[in-house]
């Protein structure tokens, strides 16, 4: 049940973030919900592989390269989810940062924890 609540929070946070950033467009809440599911799957399956492949660069940059990996995940999601459009890499990077902040705030307000 907690997973479903976190998915809904992620979808709402994506809508809020897309509203704030002019380079990101989400057509509807249904699209945002699909985006939240796709991002969860990509973070589960693709992100660990990308982290492993780029481990030396990540260590040299003291972990800052993880921001690039997050932006790449957003770009992949943009190509997979119809109705979700990101105008470029910089917008994907900003979307990733703002989405993380908004989701964190909303999760803390809702009382959902990441450990469950």
């Amino acid at each position: 049940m907690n997973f479903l609540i976190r998915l809904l929070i992620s979808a709402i946070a994506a809508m809020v973030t897309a509203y704030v950033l002019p380079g990101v467009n989400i057509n509807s809440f249904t699209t945002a919900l699909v985006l939240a599911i796709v991002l969860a799957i990509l973070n589960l399956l693709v992100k660990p592989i990308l982290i492993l492949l780029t481990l030396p660069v990540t260590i040299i940059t003291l972990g800052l390269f993880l921001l690039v990996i997050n932006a790449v995940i957003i770009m992949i999601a943009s190509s997979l989810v119809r109705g979700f459009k990101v105008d470029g890499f910089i917008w994907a990077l900003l979307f990733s940062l703002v989405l993380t902040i908004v989701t964190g705030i909303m999760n803390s307000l809702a009382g959902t924890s990441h450990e469950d």
Side-chain angles (χ1 to χ4, degrees), residues 52-63:
L52 188 63
L53 292 175
T54 61
L55 192 59
V57 177
T58 303
I59 291 171
I60 290 171
T61 61
L62 302 175

Side-chain angles (χ1 to χ4, degrees), residues 43 46-47 50-51 54 57-58 61 63-76 88-94 96-97:
N43 283 329
V46 177
K47 190 173 182 178
L50 290 176
I51 290 173
T54 61
V57 177
T58 303
T61 61
L64 289 177
F65 195 74
L66 292 174
L67 296 173
V68 173
I69 291 174
N70 286 338
V72 168
I73 295 290
I74 297 296
M75 295 294 288
I76 293 170
F89 181 79
I90 298 298
W91 288 114
L93 184 64
L94 289 172
S96 172
L97 289 171

